[in-house]
Amino acid sequence: MTIDNHIDNEIYDRLGGTWWDEDNPLNVLHGSFTPGRLAYFREVLERTGRDPAGLRALDVGCGGGFLAEEFARLGCQVVGVDPSRVSIATARRHATSSDLKIEYVVASGEHLPLESAFFDLAYCCDVLEHVADVELVIRESARVLKPGGLYLFDTINHTAASQIFAISLLQKWRLTRVIDTDLHNWDMFITPSELGAHLRRHRLSLDEIVGLGPRASMARLLRYYVQQRLGRITFGELSRRMNVGQVDRTDISYMGYATKANATDTDGGTATATDTTSAPPAPS
């Protein structure tokens, strides 16, 4: 997405060649984050009566392709979008080696070179807190969704708890920080009410928000972070030990889904399409 001067989004080019390497800090987003997110998203698809086989799915900010590959294995026709050419190249290589057919496009979430009302679902994970224009990313995601399509997401809440955990613990404290750079800026974190307002402005009805976070105890987490910092466990193992998934609290991070309104589900009668001039998904 658009690079903000307050956070180090260039890391996705510097380290993007080895997303799938257990010793890469970016692999923290895979070990238990990927299965934790996917378990909830699969439950949402089942609850809403959607068979993933054949659904057109858009991965906004796909990185190295962690979730894109999981949705492809569910039978979805996946298009992954990311502004990092290095990350996209890595995602393409890994999909090929895994015998998965996924279209990958180098582009930002603020300007999707994709056809309007084309996708059955779009998902945006670990992205919204990194972008300079959340409103534009959501507007573009809504534009490419079909009426009735699902928007799946997760992001970090803007609270005192998230400042302690995501900034102090994971980013600032020498013995526990995951990487020596600023991946996040607390001022860019988003409350559920703020996100809900963005969604409503673009005909996305917020259906549910649940907590997303580690299910290991704080004492165990501190020990795991120190072990990783000392080189005793890999980043991938750190992620698995965190046991990330659905939790009761939403004050650190949360996930959920919204549904795009049908053409007649507006106060003013039939809705007008926002844009129909964009190109179809680009080939990989």
Side-chain angles (χ1 to χ4, degrees), residues 134-142 151 195 198-199 202 204:
V134 175
E135 181 84 19
L136 187 52
V137 172
I138 292 176
R139 188 184 79 181
E140 278 289 272
S141 297
Y151 181 66
L195 180 58
H198 286 306
L199 295 170
H202 301 290
L204 290 167

Side-chain angles (χ1 to χ4, degrees), residues 25 28-29 33 156 161-184 189 214 218 221-222 224-226 228-229 235 238 242 244 252-253:
V28 170
L29 296 174
F33 278 90
I156 305 178
S162 71
Q163 185 172 42
I164 292 171
F165 186 81
I167 302 299
S168 298
L169 181 67
L170 299 185
Q171 194 166 288
K172 297 298 183 185
W173 294 347
R174 183 177 60 83
L175 284 178
T176 58
R177 63 191 179 200
V178 173
I179 191 169
D180 299 327
T181 191
D182 289 341
L183 283 177
H184 295 112
F189 293 171
M218 183 56 68
L221 287 174
L222 288 171
Y224 299 152
Y225 294 142
V226 171
Q228 190 287 311
R229 192 69 181 170
F235 288 104
L238 168 63
M242 289 170 68
V244 173
I252 295 178
S253 60

